[in-house]
Amino acid sequence: KFAAAIFCLCLVSCVSAFSIQAAQRRPVRDSTSTVRTYPAKGLRDTGTRGENTRVSAAPDGALSDIVIPSVDEEDDPRVWVPQTDCLSFRPLCLCLSQGYYVNLLKFKGGGVLGCHRHPSPVHALTLKGSWGYKEHDWHAKEGTYVFEPPGETHTLIVDEDCDEMVAMFHVTGALIYVDPESGNVTGYDDVFT
């Protein structure tokens, strides 16, 4: 009896789930009386653009497109957030739901971004000027892509003879400032701070 009851319950659940999925894919008529079909399973309809139906595989709550026509505009200084006399950043994307941010880091003249580590990966692309890490022998120049593995500890340095350095960073998780001698945490920045 118990096995038969479980089988019936599973059968009812499967039939109900199939019926709901089938109903969700039935064609519907919008306000212009054209037939519009729902996207395949796993995709969602994001509305129409002209005659085309846009379909997205992004989950509900995901960020919409962000389009910034020119990230290197100097016309509006308000988009740059100063951190020191020579260092400022421009946020491009702050994603709270996934815990990452993308920003431009700009140094006017030389400077140092204190010793820090990342618990998650970081990606960087140098747009202007050059920079490096005190702890490494490579030097990034315009067009250089850098991948930083999780756990990497380093000190960003821009040479004094560099008029301006701009690099785009995609940081997942935190940037944890550490004392270079002891390794003790002295502060942090993340998408929430």
Side-chain angles (χ1 to χ4, degrees), residues 42-89:
L43 302 177
R44 62 186 171 87
D45 188 349
T46 59
T48 58
R49 181 180 288 174
E51 296 297 315
N52 301 325
T53 298
R54 292 180 19 211
V55 176
S56 173
D60 288 334
L63 288 176
S64 300
D65 293 352
I66 298 173
V67 178
I68 301 171
S70 179
V71 296
D72 61 352
E73 276 187 30
E74 294 288 331
D75 296 341
D76 190 352
R78 295 175 299 171
V79 299
W80 291 94
V81 180
Q83 284 194 302
T84 67
D85 290 340
C86 65
L87 170 63
S88 56
F89 70 93

Side-chain angles (χ1 to χ4, degrees), residues 13-32:
S13 296
C14 289
V15 170
S16 296
F18 176 78
S19 299
I20 291 169
Q21 287 177 353
Q24 289 175 339
R25 286 194 200 84
R26 286 189 188 131
V28 296
R29 297 200 179 271
D30 63 17
S31 60
T32 60

Side-chain angles (χ1 to χ4, degrees), residues 1 3 5 8 43 53 69 75 90 122 124 131 136 138 162 166 171:
K1 289 182 179 180
C8 290
L43 302 177
T53 298
D75 296 341
R90 178 180 180 180
V122 173
W131 61 280
H136 294 280
W138 55 263
C162 181
V166 179
V171 180

